[in-house]
Amino acid sequence: MARLSGYASAGVLNRSEAPGLREAAVRLFDESKAATCRWLNGTGHRTTRGGTWRPETLDRVLSNPRIAGLDPEGNSLGYEETVLEPELYHRLMAHWAEQRAQQGERREAYEYLLTSGASACGGCGWSMIGARVDGDAAPSYRCPTPEPGAASCGSVRMNADRLETGVAEEVLAELLRPGSAERLLRLQQDVREEVERLDAHVGSGDERLKSLKALRDNGTLVESAFVAADKETRRDLRDARARLRSVRPMAELPVAGVANWVQWWQEASRDAQRALVGLIVRRVHVLPSGGGRHLDPMERVRIDWRLPAA
């Protein structure tokens, strides 16, 4: 069983983690989960894997009855010490239930790290999407349900916190390899050159559309040929703009001179983290579970690296 934040082992407190979680639980009666996570991160508290706290992670940890030494039915596990007193745990669960009822089961928005094509189903290759964040379900990634014209399998799913934490650890480990800083800068320069080409391509789009219209008007293009060419040009421009939105943050990311990537990741915005992952990772493939629980989430993950070899 994976270690729960606040405990060194079952019934044995982690003295550096437990006090922060107790204070966080008390704060949650007056503050949002997002505000409480900002307090946790700002005071140096981290998750069991060394990551920053996010609302969904805090929700998952404090909703686990083991945090109060209880089993899923509410019976005592016999812990000598608990992170939360059972009375505080039950009051917090009731408080959250009341909040959900008042908000129509609406959860706080979750910023996914690996959507928009960054992750793919290891079964069928389809892009993963963010699953529901309403009600009691934790944020997760899933292969879309099959629909007419979409050959997705819909059978692969993974908890967002487990996937993102595992991928972040692999990314940071890759950046700590000798020579990675120089290779990262070379890769970013390639991205910057791509941005320049795309900017020029998109910038000339209006002129190309006008030229097509002129060719139609002077009789060089028949109407059917004009319609097809106009449609293809507009599609090409949409694709180019979408690609620009994806790669521009990578080109503008300040990566030169970073001395401590772990600290950088802990302090970076979600947009910056997403840009860094996109800069060095082609795609993250989430493999089918094959049944059973995987304590190491990376057993189900394969990463295609973009970072060039030394």
Side-chain angles (χ1 to χ4, degrees):
M1 183 178 292
R3 182 173 78 83
L4 181 65
S5 289
Y7 290 102
S9 59
V12 179
L13 295 185
N14 181 308
R15 301 296 174 182
S16 64
E17 295 175 355
L21 288 171
R22 287 171 180 155
E23 175 65 19
V26 173
R27 285 173 170 266
L28 284 163
F29 289 98
D30 299 310
E31 297 180 354
S32 68
K33 293 169 190 173
T36 302
C37 285
R38 286 194 291 271
W39 173 81
L40 281 167
N41 296 327
T43 51
H45 295 286
R46 294 294 180 260
T47 66
T48 56
R49 291 178 175 268
T52 51
W53 285 96
R54 296 189 180 279
E56 290 72 22
T57 310
L58 185 62
D59 186 314
R60 177 174 55 81
V61 169
L62 294 184
S63 294
N64 190 324
R66 284 195 291 135
I67 203 76
L70 304 172
D71 67 14
E73 285 71 45
N75 302 311
S76 174
L77 292 170
Y79 288 179
E80 292 187 8
E81 295 181 286
T82 59
V83 176
L84 300 186
E85 291 296 326
E87 187 272 337
L88 176 58
Y89 168 77
H90 288 307
R91 281 201 300 119
L92 182 59
M93 294 305 99
H95 176 66
W96 280 351
E98 182 180 356
Q99 284 185 329
R100 288 195 293 270
Q102 292 174 349
Q103 297 169 5
E105 298 295 309
R106 184 68 183 172
R107 279 178 175 259
E108 296 176 68
Y110 184 81
E111 295 182 277
Y112 287 93
L113 181 67
L114 301 168
T115 49
S116 301
S119 58
C121 172
C124 66
W126 208 265
S127 292
M128 301 286 278
I129 61 174
R132 56 177 292 186
V133 294
D134 291 339
D136 295 326
S140 62
Y141 289 81
R142 67 176 178 87
C143 180
T145 303
E147 296 179 353
S152 56
C153 67
S155 62
V156 175
R157 190 181 188 108
M158 191 170 184
N159 176 275
D161 185 53
R162 286 171 59 79
L163 175 61
E164 293 175 355
T165 299
V167 169
E169 290 179 349
E170 293 294 322
V171 166
L172 294 175
E174 188 68 20
L175 289 170
L176 293 175
R177 296 181 187 277
S180 290
E182 293 78 10
R183 286 180 280 144
L184 182 63
L185 291 176
R186 292 202 303 270
L187 182 58
Q188 188 177 47
Q189 181 57 38
D190 292 341
V191 173
R192 286 172 175 163
E193 292 172 2
E194 181 183 2
V195 168
E196 290 180 3
R197 293 192 297 270
L198 287 168
D199 272 331
H201 185 67
V202 170
S204 66
D206 286 343
E207 286 302 317
R208 282 184 283 144
L209 291 171
K210 289 179 182 177
S211 296
L212 285 173
K213 187 174 184 300
L215 291 172
R216 181 200 59 183
D217 292 345
N218 66 24
T220 303
L221 282 179
V222 298
E223 184 65 22
S224 59
F226 164 75
V227 170
D230 183 79
K231 180 179 180 180
E232 178 60 23
T233 300
R234 292 180 186 278
R235 183 201 61 76
D236 174 69
L237 287 172
R238 285 196 301 271
D239 290 346
R241 291 189 184 101
R243 178 62 180 167
L244 259 178
R245 289 193 297 271
S246 174
V247 298
R248 195 185 297 279
M250 304 178 199
E252 297 174 349
L253 192 67
V255 297
V258 176
N260 187 328
W261 280 109
V262 174
Q263 180 180 0
W264 181 96
W265 184 270
Q266 292 173 347
E267 298 174 353
S269 68
R270 197 57 153 176
D271 286 340
Q273 291 176 345
R274 193 179 294 113
L276 179 64
V277 172
L279 189 58
I280 70 173
V281 171
R282 294 185 188 279
R283 219 171 193 199
V284 174
H285 300 270
V286 183
L287 309 177
S289 66
R293 178 174 174 79
H294 298 263
L295 294 181
D296 181 0
M298 298 311 290
E299 293 176 357
R300 292 185 54 203
V301 176
R302 176 172 59 83
I303 299 177
D304 287 344
W305 296 100
R306 196 188 304 273
L307 202 62

